[in-house]
């Protein structure tokens, strides 16, 4: 996956675009994560990013970047189909890694605490 494509995915977008992405992410996040948890080595970070993206204290640009990455993660059709197990989630991993680098330091300890609780509540092993 080239940098141009990742850059396009991670554009923060305006508030309307962020709301659209937010609805999609909320609807599809947990089912997608449950399918990917064994493949994505940093599921705790992904869940913390989810909580950061929906935190009203998170800057708009950071929310936009995270929602772009998370929306790509939950899309049923992406660059490589996720049904291809490890290979299928490799593009999602690349996008999520780029998003984490772009928002370095914005995902706070409170987001990780919520992630830990949610992973326990959902019965998903946390991938630290």
């Amino acid at each position: 996956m080239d940098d141009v494509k990742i850059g396009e995915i991670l554009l923060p977008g305006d508030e309307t675009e962020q709301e659209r992405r937010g609805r999609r992410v909320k609807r599809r996040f947990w089912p997608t994560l449950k399918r990917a948890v064994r493949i994505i080595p940093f599921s705790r970070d992904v869940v913390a990013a989810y909580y950061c993206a929906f935190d009203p204290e998170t800057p708009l640009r950071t929310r936009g970047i995270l929602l772009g990455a998370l929306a790509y993660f939950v899309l049923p059709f992406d660059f490589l189909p996720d049904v291809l197990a490890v290979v299928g989630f490799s593009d999602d991993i690349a996008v999520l890694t780029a998003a984490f680098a772009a928002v370095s330091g914005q995902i706070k300890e409170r987001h990780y605490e919520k992630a830990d609780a949610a992973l326990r509540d959902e019965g998903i092993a946390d991938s630290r």
Side-chain angles (χ1 to χ4, degrees):
M1 185 154 215
D2 62 24
D3 290 338
V4 174
K5 181 73 172 170
I6 290 174
E8 291 171 9
I9 292 166
L10 297 181
L11 289 174
D14 60 19
E15 287 188 51
T16 303
E17 176 66 15
Q18 287 186 19
E19 287 174 19
R20 187 179 65 76
R21 288 177 177 171
R23 286 190 302 274
R24 180 181 300 141
V25 169
K26 281 185 177 180
R27 187 173 58 250
R28 298 181 180 165
F29 181 76
W30 291 107
T32 303
L33 182 71
K34 286 177 181 179
R35 283 195 328 272
V37 74
R38 290 186 186 99
I39 298 161
I40 294 182
F42 47 87
S43 59
R44 180 178 186 245
D45 296 307
V46 174
V47 178
Y50 173 88
Y51 286 109
C52 183
F54 290 103
D55 183 343
E57 293 181 23
T58 298
L60 190 62
R61 181 178 183 283
T62 299
R63 277 195 319 228
I65 290 170
L66 290 175
L67 285 171
L70 292 169
Y72 186 80
F73 174 64
V74 302
L75 281 173
F77 304 106
D78 56 20
F79 184 68
L80 294 169
D82 296 338
V83 296
L84 297 175
V86 176
V87 176
F89 280 106
S90 64
D91 58 322
D92 300 279
I93 291 169
V95 170
L96 290 165
T97 301
F100 295 156
V103 301
S104 178
Q106 294 295 319
I107 301 175
K108 308 294 185 197
E109 186 58 33
R110 67 180 178 269
H111 302 130
Y112 282 103
E113 290 168 0
K114 282 185 167 184
D116 292 341
L119 287 166
R120 278 190 308 274
D121 292 348
E122 291 290 328
I124 300 172
D126 117 15
S127 301
R128 280 190 223 197

